[in-house]
Amino acid sequence: MERLQKIISKAGLASRREAEKMIVEGRVSVNGKAVTELGTTIDIKKDKVFVYNKKIAIENMVYIILHKPKRIVTTLKDEKGRMTVIDLIKDVPERVYPVGRLDYNTEGLLILTNDGELTNKLIHPSFKIYKTYIAKVKGIPAEEKLDILRVGVRLEDGITAPAKVNIIEIDKSTDSAKIEIVIHEGKNRQVRRMFEAIGCPVRSLKRIKFASLNLDGLARGKYRYLSENEIEALQRMK
């Protein structure tokens, strides 16, 4: 069950506020009966909604979490013929879209949905939705270098917002370190470029958390639908 104004907004007919105005003005009907109460909820699988006497198409909202492997493209189609994330969810009947991107050689948590409103919320910088990555880098960076990332490092497209950075593991035999980094921005290849800027190029990168979601129990290359509680938690984020 969802609020009527939200359904109208998701159908692309109006913003949430404009949809509320339509309802109050009596321009919306459900199953042939005019509805003017803003608190009205409907079942998108059963109820028929009309706006200005025209039936609207109500799409079933789908929310998926995918454990993306390396060497998979985060697009709907690839002109080079490479495998895409959509190839991993072929049995999902609805047309869904990736929320943001993970580059070709990055693995980890990816959300896919057809909820445009939620997608905008999750990727828009103003909402500051945090994402956690585990990076294995060449070299063992001193704390002074990591402090640069914690304050903000200058890249060619501007200074990054402060990141949370912690060394998890050091391997002196291979001159490498495993580092957890948490950011809320979504610049192209941002994490890789941040470590390159301090002289520690990334050897492997994995996103393990996006907002309140993590990869617990989800094997590489597999996906699952989000629970109602998980969806509501994402929608409540401010």
Side-chain angles (χ1 to χ4, degrees):
M1 301 291 285
E2 287 195 77
R3 288 183 179 271
L4 186 54
Q5 58 265 41
K6 187 174 182 179
I7 294 297
I8 295 171
S9 175
K10 285 182 177 180
L13 297 180
S15 67
R16 189 86 64 91
R17 184 169 296 179
E18 290 169 340
E20 290 175 350
K21 185 178 179 182
M22 290 177 181
I23 294 169
V24 172
E25 292 176 347
R27 303 180 186 277
V28 179
S29 63
V30 178
N31 300 326
K33 183 179 180 179
V35 176
T36 58
E37 294 293 328
L38 292 181
T40 301
T41 58
I42 67 167
D43 185 336
I44 61 173
K45 296 180 180 180
K46 298 178 181 179
D47 296 319
K48 297 177 181 179
V49 180
F50 292 79
V51 177
Y52 294 107
N53 296 318
K54 184 177 180 180
K55 185 180 178 182
I56 66 171
I58 303 175
E59 186 176 18
N60 183 38
M61 292 292 108
V62 178
Y63 306 86
I64 289 170
I65 176 175
L66 169 71
H67 188 160
K68 174 193 173 299
K70 295 179 183 178
R71 294 180 289 279
I72 300 288
V73 185
T74 311
T75 55
L76 302 184
K77 184 184 294 186
D78 182 59
E79 58 185 19
K80 297 180 181 179
R82 294 174 294 183
M83 181 175 284
T84 76
V85 292
I86 301 302
D87 292 322
L88 299 176
I89 58 168
K90 284 184 176 180
D91 54 340
V92 175
E94 295 85 359
R95 186 174 176 85
V96 295
Y97 305 86
V99 176
R101 292 184 177 228
L102 288 177
D103 68 46
Y104 186 66
N105 286 313
T106 298
E107 64 177 308
L109 196 161
L110 184 70
I111 300 171
L112 298 102
T113 183
N114 52 3
D115 187 338
E117 185 177 355
L118 180 61
T119 295
N120 181 65
K121 180 177 182 178
L122 293 176
I123 66 176
H124 198 283
S126 64
F127 287 99
K128 295 184 178 180
I129 306 297
Y130 285 92
K131 292 152 281 192
T132 303
Y133 297 80
I134 300 296
K136 186 174 182 180
V137 303
K138 182 179 180 181
I140 302 171
E143 283 297 317
E144 303 85 71
K145 284 192 174 183
L146 296 180
D147 283 341
I148 296 174
L149 304 183
R150 293 173 180 135
V151 174
V153 60
R154 182 177 294 279
L155 304 177
E156 59 268 27
D157 50 355
I159 299 176
T160 63
K164 300 175 185 177
V165 188
N166 292 293
I167 293 181
I168 298 175
E169 185 180 296
I170 290 174
D171 188 341
K172 292 183 179 179
S173 66
T174 59
D175 186 33
S176 64
K178 187 180 292 185
I179 301 174
E180 180 184 84
I181 179 168
V182 183
I183 63 173
H184 66 74
E185 297 173 297
K187 300 178 188 292
N188 183 43
R189 300 182 69 253
Q190 180 173 339
V191 173
R192 292 180 183 276
R193 292 191 292 134
M194 289 172 72
F195 281 109
E196 286 170 4
I198 63 169
C200 295
V202 171
R203 288 177 170 173
S204 66
L205 185 62
K206 181 175 185 177
R207 182 158 70 193
I208 62 169
K209 191 173 182 180
F210 192 132
S212 54
L213 302 175
N214 60 54
L215 289 171
D216 290 355
L218 191 61
R220 185 181 290 108
K222 301 299 182 180
Y223 75 91
R224 67 172 175 82
Y225 290 93
L226 297 189
S227 69
E228 287 297 325
N229 287 339
E230 288 172 327
I231 297 168
E232 290 174 4
L234 293 177
Q235 293 171 336
R236 284 197 305 266
M237 295 188 76
K238 297 181 179 179

